[in-house]
Amino acid sequence: MNEPTTALEEWRRYWPTVLAAMVGMSFYTVLTYSLSTFIGPLEAEFGWSRTALSSGLTVFAGISMLGGPFIGMAVDKFGTRKLGIIGMVLAGLAFAAFSLLNGSIVQWIALYVIYGIFALAIKSTVWSAGISSVFTHARSLALAVVLSGSALGQTLAPLAANKLINAFGWREAYIWLGLGWAGVALVLLIPFYFDAHARKAREAPGSEQKPAIILPGLTIKEATRDSRVIRIALANLLMASVGSGVSVHLVRIVSETGISMDTAVEIAATAGLAGLIGKLGVGWLLDRVQGSLIPFSGFAIGAFGHFLLIGLIGGATPLLIGAMCIGFASGAGLQISTYLISRYAGLRNFGAIFGTISSMMMAGTALGPMFAGAVHDLTGSYDILEMIAAPVMLLCATLFVGLGPYPEFTRPEQD
């Protein structure tokens, strides 16, 4: 089959794969974004503290951090179709298993360990690698749509969990969310989700040994010495470290400037919408404009947002703009980095390379909220946090300056 020669042709041929991957990506976020809705019922039934309830997400983040490079190598070797489908089945069952909680914290942590291991096969590395393998001309926008699945989960998971808990109770809510959401994803993944490995295999259905497909790009050793890859990785580590802390504490950061709690919640909610705009807007632009302007601007906007949240300018409007800038930068930052790694490192070992970068981001995500809380405990405010975050984000932006033109990789010999 001839390869598409334009972005429009790619979308006409591969849009079902993008849709399936987006829904798959959305389920990966359900456990995180539904927890706040389950906290009340679990507290009431078992008497658990907020610290104990939050400990599961720390375990989940740790597993994602440690397992990222390994799942990336599996993606490079086996492709993403089988991993995504099997992972969705197991993760859905593991999510539903939370309905069996009996009040034991050990069981709570054990379920997070089990879910965390299975969920490695449905994290962003998997879907990003699969989409990058079939899209060239419209790759950035396709990645943006897929990664927007996280915003879909962030928006719908609390609403769905709340309705299910009110209608059936928290145990049944875990079952419906786990089997229902994962089931919808599987209905789309099985008939529609085919990455380059799977498409190559379908072209030779009668052969005894399915042909291996080796995509062009850097080896892992070459990537570890490539200054462009290192700069992108460092920018993501720094962004995650300051950004996660601010995001988790955003409502409190805004409310402690004198804004009412209700208004603070509304202001913080705009960050999610701005993040979606950042993903899609930057995704569309990166397919059309090469250079440092878009990557630099995407991160620099975050620096401006952190400056506004210091509260030097009175009123709710600067805080609203600041929250939206931070949300935009968060969405745009992941989109920028995923796309640029696919261009500067290529696709040969995209899973392992981006999986490692993703693990670095998870490390920052795990440490950031604790650092933000420590700053507040020591100083009584978040001002120093924002004073640190603003220049750090500006440093992240400068790391994207002068990366140079995208390299042209030659496809290695097929076995």
Side-chain angles (χ1 to χ4, degrees):
M1 182 180 294
N2 294 330
E3 294 296 323
T5 58
T6 66
L8 184 58
E9 289 179 10
E10 285 181 338
W11 275 108
R12 284 174 176 169
R13 186 178 299 182
Y14 302 135
W15 70 265
T17 295
V18 174
L19 175 63
M22 181 186 70
V23 177
M25 179 68 201
S26 72
F27 181 68
Y28 179 74
T29 67
V30 171
L31 189 71
T32 299
Y33 291 123
S34 65
L35 176 61
S36 60
T37 313
F38 282 102
I39 282 177
L42 293 174
E43 273 187 325
E45 182 150 344
F46 301 129
W48 290 345
S49 67
R50 297 289 175 95
T51 301
L53 286 163
S54 301
S55 64
L57 288 181
T58 302
V59 172
F60 176 65
I63 292 173
S64 181
M65 178 183 68
L66 296 174
F70 298 102
I71 200 67
M73 289 185 282
V75 163
D76 295 329
K77 184 173 182 180
F78 303 110
T80 63
R81 176 175 164 80
K82 289 182 179 178
L83 281 173
I85 291 175
I86 294 172
M88 189 62 64
V89 171
L90 296 176
L93 292 172
F95 192 106
F98 279 85
S99 64
L100 304 175
L101 286 168
N102 59 15
S104 168
I105 288 294
V106 174
Q107 183 195 32
W108 173 252
I109 298 299
L111 285 171
Y112 265 97
V113 170
I114 294 169
Y115 179 83
I117 292 172
F118 292 155
L120 287 171
I122 59 171
K123 62 182 297 183
S124 62
T125 303
V126 175
W127 311 120
S128 298
I131 294 302
S132 295
S133 71
V134 295
F135 275 84
T136 299
H137 307 286
R139 182 182 297 166
S140 182
L141 183 57
L143 285 171
V145 173
V146 170
L147 295 175
S148 294
S150 61
L152 183 67
Q154 183 178 11
T155 303
L156 297 182
L159 298 175
N162 187 56
K163 287 187 176 297
L164 289 168
I165 290 170
N166 290 336
F168 305 109
W170 67 267
R171 293 185 187 275
E172 288 76 8
Y174 270 120
I175 295 173
W176 279 102
L177 279 177
L179 302 185
W181 203 312
V184 171
L186 285 169
V187 167
L188 294 171
L189 289 170
I190 292 172
F192 299 132
Y193 184 76
F194 293 93
D195 62 2
H197 291 264
R199 291 178 186 279
K200 185 71 174 178
R202 287 204 303 174
E203 290 176 8
S207 61
E208 295 183 1
Q209 183 177 0
K210 292 182 179 180
I213 179 168
I214 304 176
L215 298 169
L218 300 178
T219 65
I220 295 176
K221 186 176 181 179
E222 289 170 338
T224 60
R225 296 194 302 245
D226 191 291
S227 63
R228 296 165 299 189
V229 174
I230 294 171
R231 287 160 63 183
I232 295 169
L234 180 59
N236 277 272
L237 173 61
L238 294 173
M239 177 186 71
S241 298
V242 297
S244 62
V246 172
S247 296
V248 169
H249 292 261
L250 185 56
V251 172
R252 294 296 175 183
I253 291 173
V254 174
S255 66
E256 290 189 8
T257 63
I259 300 295
S260 70
M261 181 60 69
D262 288 344
T263 302
V265 171
E266 293 172 359
I267 288 174
T270 63
L273 177 60
L276 179 62
I277 295 171
K279 285 187 177 74
L280 296 176
V282 168
W284 183 82
L285 286 170
L286 283 174
D287 281 329
R288 290 157 175 79
V289 181
Q290 181 181 348
S292 301
L293 179 60
I294 295 172
F296 175 85
S297 300
F299 281 75
I301 286 172
F304 180 64
H306 288 295
F307 172 77
L308 289 176
L309 288 188
I310 295 174
L312 298 177
I313 306 173
T317 300
L319 298 173
L320 173 64
I321 296 173
M324 294 185 70
C325 286
I326 290 172
F328 180 92
S330 177
L334 180 59
Q335 168 61 25
I336 288 167
S337 301
T338 306
Y339 178 72
L340 291 185
I341 286 295
S342 77
R343 288 299 189 185
Y344 286 112
L347 302 177
R348 183 177 184 180
N349 292 287
F350 176 85
I353 296 167
F354 188 72
T356 301
I357 294 174
S358 177
S359 292
M360 294 171 63
M361 294 171 63
M362 289 304 298
T365 300
L367 295 174
M370 292 189 293
F371 175 72
V375 168
H376 187 273
D377 291 340
L378 289 172
T379 66
S381 78
Y382 292 102
D383 290 350
I384 292 179
L385 173 66
E386 294 294 2
M387 291 177 185
I388 294 172
V392 167
M393 283 298 291
L394 191 58
L395 172 61
C396 292
T398 61
L399 288 171
F400 289 93
V401 176
L403 290 177
Y406 302 142
E408 293 289 338
F409 297 109
T410 58
R411 186 180 292 271
E413 298 270 336
Q414 300 292 313
D415 294 333

